[in-house]
Amino acid sequence: RNKLSFEVEKKTRDLIKSEKMASVGQLSSRLVHDLRNPLTVVKSTVELLKLGNKEMDKKTAEKFERIQRAMKKISYQIEDVLDFVRQSELHLKRQSISEILESRLEFFDEIAKSNSLNYKILVENDIYIRFNQTSLERLIDNNISNAIKYSFINSAIQINLSYIDDNNILFEIITNSKEIEAENKIFNDFYRENSNRGGFGLGLKIVKEICDKNNVIIKLDSNMKETKFAYRFKIDENITT
């Protein structure tokens, strides 16, 4: 495993389990300092190396691209951890889930393609909900990230977003992947179906917490053919069109 990724995971576990921190705020501050700083150093070093090797061959260029993708994933995982320890109330406002979903799919597009995956998108335009933007992005990001991580190679990730009725919308992400064996554990802290896939096992735990706080209903269906995560959001009629 990538050494930096291993150190990040180790540091995260130590800090989250620590009972000596006086508050969530202190824990968040420590995480920011201890995890972001070394990652910033690595990013800067890679950029300097690239600048010094402008005429690198194709094989070397591909290595740099893999390193940068790995750093992008680690950076995202750090944000996951920070979200996990934040307990303060988040500001809610009218959000276009259609636009946010499109933006997040674009963000992960390069990673999906590097894993020989593609999207099949059925997303209705101009769907608005009252939600915190950071939480909404985190919910979407964790689902896309997991879909990329666990999908079979050369398969498609199906993304659906639509109205159910005047009061509810449905977000679905469907993958061709192995059947989830422990559906009752998949949202637990640090649980991973496949430990070889990396990560902290916090992604779906964070998703579950976001859904619980915002009355989002989760439905999971997994079999030998496909796995579907479905999220039912309520619409606030006072602020939606």
Side-chain angles (χ1 to χ4, degrees), residues 175-193:
T175 58
N176 296 115
S177 51
K178 288 184 178 180
E179 182 176 5
I180 295 176
E181 298 177 358
E183 292 187 18
N184 61 324
K185 296 181 181 179
I186 199 69
F187 293 100
N188 291 351
D189 295 353
F190 303 114
Y191 181 79
R192 290 177 292 178
E193 283 276 306

Side-chain angles (χ1 to χ4, degrees), residues 58-142:
K58 183 178 179 181
K59 188 174 182 180
T60 303
E62 289 174 351
K63 288 180 180 179
F64 273 107
E65 288 178 7
R66 286 198 297 270
I67 292 171
Q68 289 182 309
R69 284 197 298 267
M71 289 190 299
K72 192 174 186 179
K73 289 181 180 179
I74 293 170
S75 179
Y76 169 72
Q77 289 170 343
I78 290 172
E79 294 304 316
D80 260 359
V81 175
L82 293 175
D83 278 350
F84 180 71
V85 299
R86 287 189 190 113
Q87 298 295 324
S88 59
E89 289 296 321
L90 297 173
H91 178 62
L92 303 178
K93 65 178 182 178
R94 185 174 183 264
Q95 304 286 349
S96 170
I97 187 172
S98 305
E99 292 181 2
I100 290 174
L101 178 56
E102 181 181 354
S103 171
R104 303 322 295 164
L105 286 169
E106 183 178 349
F107 177 85
F108 283 98
D109 186 56
E110 182 184 344
I111 299 174
K113 288 178 179 177
S114 70
N115 284 272
S116 301
L117 302 171
N118 61 83
Y119 299 136
K120 286 187 177 180
I121 303 173
L122 291 174
V123 174
E124 291 188 24
N125 296 324
D126 301 322
I127 297 182
Y128 288 86
I129 59 174
R130 185 172 179 267
F131 221 88
N132 171 264
Q133 182 171 341
T134 300
S135 295
L136 187 56
E137 289 178 349
R138 188 62 62 225
L139 186 154
I140 292 170
D141 284 5
N142 278 316

